[in-house]
Amino acid sequence: TSLLWDALALIGIGALGYRFGGLRLGVTLAFAWAAYPFTQYVSSSNSNDAIMPALLVWGLVFVTSPPARGLFSGLAAWTKFTALLLLPLWASYPKAWKWPRQQLLFAAGFLAATALAFWVFLLEPDPVNAARLFWDRTFGWQLSRPSPFSIWDWEEYPGFPDLHVLQTVLKGLLVAAAVVLAFIPRTRNVVQLAALTAALLIGFELVLTHWFYLYIPWFFPFVAFAVLVPAAVRVAEPEPLPEDSGDERQVGELVPSR
């Protein structure tokens, strides 16, 4: 499983670069994933931490399709709950106030992902009890999980303050930022979407009690894409579309500069 998702992430980030920056960017991003020590650490550890970024990367590959964007972000969210923070941002691409068709299509994709993730409950004699068990062993455990791997749970050691209040405040600010990004900026291109995705994921990891090095690849593809887009690529002005055209054209499509 670890090797499979490592390969899917590598192929996905290469496809993302090829779509929005051409062959050179595609090869560069694929090499960046393969050469990055922490992606190799995930693979060598037989960890599942490449699954969420791989799904999100493929969501960016098909970013102009709201149902596909909802499907991939939904699958990513039910793999690692961190991606739930991205839903307002991803639902509002490319126009934050383009209601309601865009958001409805995104929601349909997310619901399809949720059905794919949770249909197994129907195989249980008591689906309600299975759902309760799922909650207890996922959200319930993670929300109260102790850990020595970040500063937020060090108060038991001599000389370290209790930072739980500060951590709670920062968590609230992070959630507020995730909601605000659904509306600001009003329009965004795919590079901005990747950069803001990385910012939210990094923010989540900064306030996470149980943090580990395996989590670095969660945000790496989006940082790499936003940073390595070459200077020869510029952001085009979005073309106005009729409200009832049904055409989901890329806003802020990357095109070579003249």
Side-chain angles (χ1 to χ4, degrees):
T1 300
S2 181
L3 291 174
L4 171 65
W5 286 99
D6 182 66
L8 288 174
L10 186 150
I11 295 169
I13 196 172
L16 176 66
Y18 179 77
R19 178 178 182 188
F20 292 104
L23 181 60
R24 177 172 293 185
L25 181 60
V27 172
T28 300
L29 290 175
F31 180 79
W33 177 272
Y36 194 51
F38 290 102
T39 58
Q40 180 59 50
Y41 185 32
V42 168
S43 181
S44 299
S45 301
N46 287 326
S47 167
N48 62 7
D49 288 285
I51 300 177
M52 182 185 74
L55 290 167
L56 290 175
V57 162
W58 281 104
L60 283 186
V61 172
F62 298 104
V63 70
T64 52
S65 168
R69 209 165 59 244
L71 177 68
F72 281 106
S73 60
L75 291 174
W78 297 127
T79 301
K80 296 285 184 182
F81 300 141
T82 310
L84 290 170
L85 266 180
L86 304 177
L87 296 181
L89 172 66
W90 280 48
S92 62
Y93 175 88
K95 292 185 178 181
W97 294 350
K98 188 178 179 180
W99 294 86
R101 179 177 179 272
Q102 175 182 285
Q103 280 71 25
L104 290 176
L105 290 172
F106 179 89
F110 178 79
L111 290 175
T114 302
L116 287 172
F118 291 106
W119 72 270
V120 291
F121 284 175
L122 300 178
L123 302 179
E124 290 289 328
D126 186 352
V128 174
N129 183 66
R132 187 181 301 111
L133 186 64
F134 166 79
W135 175 271
D136 291 341
R137 294 187 179 181
T138 55
F139 284 100
W141 179 62
Q142 292 286 358
L143 290 173
S144 59
R145 184 179 187 181
S147 176
F149 298 126
S150 74
I151 62 173
W152 307 116
D153 208 25
W154 285 358
E155 76 280 356
E156 61 181 279
Y157 301 108
F160 288 95
D162 185 346
L163 299 175
H164 284 128
V165 173
L166 176 60
Q167 183 189 21
T168 301
V169 171
L170 292 176
K171 286 179 179 178
L173 291 174
L174 178 65
V175 172
V179 174
V180 168
L181 287 176
F183 303 96
I184 301 173
R186 185 170 180 178
T187 61
R188 69 286 308 269
N189 59 55
V190 69
V191 178
Q192 291 170 314
L193 181 65
L196 293 172
T197 295
L200 287 176
L201 293 175
I202 291 170
F204 179 85
E205 293 192 27
L206 287 174
V207 300
L208 192 61
T209 299
H210 182 78
W211 182 88
F212 205 62
Y213 310 103
L214 296 171
Y215 301 166
I216 294 175
W218 292 1
F219 60 79
F220 172 72
F222 314 104
V223 173
F225 177 66
V227 170
L228 295 177
V229 168
V233 173
R234 66 176 175 84
V235 178
E237 289 297 322
E239 298 179 14
L241 297 175
E243 289 297 324
D244 58 349
S245 68
D247 184 10
E248 188 63 35
R249 195 173 304 174
Q250 171 73 22
V251 172
E253 183 84 32
L254 297 181
V255 295
S257 59
R258 298 181 187 275

